[in-house]
Amino acid sequence: MLAKTSRQGFPSVNAPSRFAKHAAFGFSPQGLANTAWAFAVLGVPDQPLLSAISSAAQPRMRALTVHNLVNIAWSFAKVGFADVPFLQSMAASADARLHEFSPQSLANTAWSFATMKFSDVPLLDALS
């Protein structure tokens, strides 16, 4: 429902954003990915919220499904949020689990990293 709210001035996303920044560590991996996706679809580059999602997701990288990883990467790229330590962790996790990625997931991950101008040589080697 959040992704369908009005964009003009973003009044309808302020309260959820403030809540999410404080609650992100209690979110499930799917909840983190969904929240990042919703704000990206709205085009809301809420840096504190994205930082909270990044901080909450990084220590749980193994709990994130491939779908969660790809959605978070896409969401961050869509709003121009590039948290290098998080992207390094994500790249290492993706590299270790590349066999779980569909061709679409690989393409979306490559697009996301390229959009954020983030390069991880081991992952790029594995993708080629």
Side-chain angles (χ1 to χ4, degrees), residues 2 4 9 15 21 33 35-36 77-78 86 94 105-106 116 118:
L2 185 61
K4 295 186 185 279
K21 282 183 266 192
T35 303
K78 186 80 172 140
F86 177 75
S105 294
L106 292 172
M116 291 183 279
F118 175 75

Side-chain angles (χ1 to χ4, degrees), residues 14-41:
N14 289 336
S17 172
R18 282 191 301 271
F19 168 77
K21 282 183 266 192
H22 299 290
F25 281 91
F27 285 4
S28 68
Q30 182 70 45
L32 293 169
N34 288 352
T35 303
W37 176 86
F39 279 82
V41 167

Side-chain angles (χ1 to χ4, degrees), residues 12-67:
S12 58
V13 297
N14 289 336
S17 172
R18 282 191 301 271
F19 168 77
K21 282 183 266 192
H22 299 290
F25 281 91
F27 285 4
S28 68
Q30 182 70 45
L32 293 169
N34 288 352
T35 303
W37 176 86
F39 279 82
V41 167
L42 284 170
V44 179
D46 187 321
Q47 300 294 316
L49 172 65
L50 298 172
S51 291
I53 290 170
S54 175
S55 295
Q58 190 165 356
R60 297 189 280 168
M61 200 61 66
R62 289 185 182 184
L64 296 170
T65 66
V66 167
H67 190 72

Side-chain angles (χ1 to χ4, degrees), residues 43-109:
V44 179
D46 187 321
Q47 300 294 316
L49 172 65
L50 298 172
S51 291
I53 290 170
S54 175
S55 295
Q58 190 165 356
R60 297 189 280 168
M61 200 61 66
R62 289 185 182 184
L64 296 170
T65 66
V66 167
H67 190 72
N68 298 152
L69 286 171
V70 173
N71 281 351
I72 293 172
W74 179 88
S75 299
F76 284 8
K78 186 80 172 140
V79 296
F81 178 76
D83 178 344
V84 173
F86 177 75
L87 293 173
Q88 289 169 332
S89 294
M90 182 179 282
S93 180
D95 190 26
R97 300 162 47 185
L98 222 47
H99 63 282
E100 298 176 36
F101 280 65
S102 69
Q104 184 67 54
S105 294
L106 292 172
N108 288 351
T109 302

